[in-house]
Amino acid sequence: MYFHPIEDPDAGHIGYLLADAGSLDAVIIDPPPRSTELLLALLAERRFRLSHVLRTHVHASQPLNCSALSELTGATLVIADGVGINAACPAKVERAVHGSTLVFGQEVLRVLATPGHTAHCVSYLWRDRLFCGDAFDLGSCADGDDDADAGLLYDSLTCRLFMLPEQTLVFPAHPLRGRRVATLGELRLRSAPLLAGSRDAFITDMTSRRAALLRHARPSPPAKRR
């Protein structure tokens, strides 16, 4: 096996290059926008063949950049079922559906639907490693992100991700409080205060936090002149 994180230090975006060292087949998960040149160099150095470019999620405000790596390498673009895509996109597109698998060489990725950060988020489970995008960014439901859905996020965490073994290594799309990897057990403990109550209580809490943030961000009215 081959595993190589690719990070954009300016944007804090992390992607992951995985490969089967025997067949030399490779996939990239959430490639940072400015990583194409680096990824092509790594692929050439190791003589890897990029078969798939996988995305955990796509924000409505950020157009899907589907052509760079896929067009240059012939790799299939993998996005969640329900994510829109430009009809002019030259890439071959495959939909990631919950419970499906993706094979590269002798390696297998399992698809988990984990909506919440956006409506169509997915995570990819590979061996003991989970690539979950921003599924553990609980603040996304409170910071004004219109893509986030607190109820779906609660369901994804409590009914799906936390069902995996505690020793599962979690690799996010952005650092979690400065951490680039954590165990699922650690994240369960860290999330416990927010997820300890019911689903409705979590939604109410996130709604209140968002309202408070919006009030804080709203400029104060000018003082009346006497």
Side-chain angles (χ1 to χ4, degrees):
M1 61 174 283
Y2 176 87
F3 171 67
H4 195 306
I6 308 292
E7 184 170 0
D8 181 337
D10 296 327
H13 189 129
I14 312 172
Y16 302 93
L17 179 63
L18 320 177
D20 175 14
S23 68
L24 302 183
D25 288 324
V27 301
I28 178 72
I29 301 173
D30 287 337
R34 296 182 294 180
S35 66
T36 300
E37 186 176 346
L38 172 59
L39 285 167
L40 291 175
L42 287 171
L43 293 169
E45 179 186 41
R46 297 278 178 167
R47 298 184 180 179
F48 289 149
R49 182 185 70 85
L50 190 67
S51 62
H52 296 84
V53 177
L54 301 95
R55 298 292 298 269
T56 58
H57 65 288
V58 178
H59 286 282
S61 60
Q62 299 171 352
L64 178 63
N65 180 11
C66 61
S67 59
L69 274 173
S70 295
E71 189 171 7
L72 290 169
T73 63
T76 299
L77 176 67
V78 181
I79 55 176
D81 199 22
V83 173
I85 188 166
N86 192 316
C89 176
K92 177 183 177 182
V93 176
E94 182 177 325
R95 295 293 182 173
V97 180
H98 177 71
S100 63
T101 57
L102 188 150
V103 178
F104 57 106
Q106 299 299 312
E107 301 291 339
V108 179
L109 283 167
R110 177 184 167 198
V111 179
L112 303 174
T114 51
H117 181 68
T118 69
H120 305 290
C121 287
V122 294
S123 296
Y124 301 99
L125 185 63
W126 179 57
R127 299 190 176 201
D128 63 344
R129 306 180 185 201
L130 177 71
F131 304 93
C132 60
D134 293 318
F136 287 93
D137 181 12
L138 303 189
S140 65
C141 291
D143 66 4
D145 190 338
D146 291 332
D147 288 353
D149 184 303
L152 290 178
L153 183 59
Y154 182 93
D155 294 340
S156 292
L157 292 174
T158 60
C159 301
R160 188 151 288 163
L161 294 183
F162 287 154
M163 297 295 103
L164 299 173
E166 289 192 349
Q167 297 79 15
T168 302
L169 297 174
V170 178
F171 293 91
H174 296 87
L176 296 168
R177 298 184 183 178
R179 297 279 299 277
R180 286 158 178 77
V181 59
T183 66
L184 194 59
E186 289 178 281
L187 294 175
R188 181 187 283 112
L189 287 174
R190 183 186 298 176
S191 307
L194 284 174
L195 299 173
S198 67
R199 185 180 193 269
D200 288 343
F202 179 74
I203 295 173
T204 299
D205 186 16
M206 291 298 105
T207 302
S208 298
R209 289 168 183 258
R210 181 170 183 177
L213 287 171
L214 290 174
R215 285 196 302 271
H216 181 74
R218 188 178 298 122
S220 301
K224 293 182 179 180
R225 298 181 64 181
R226 299 194 178 195

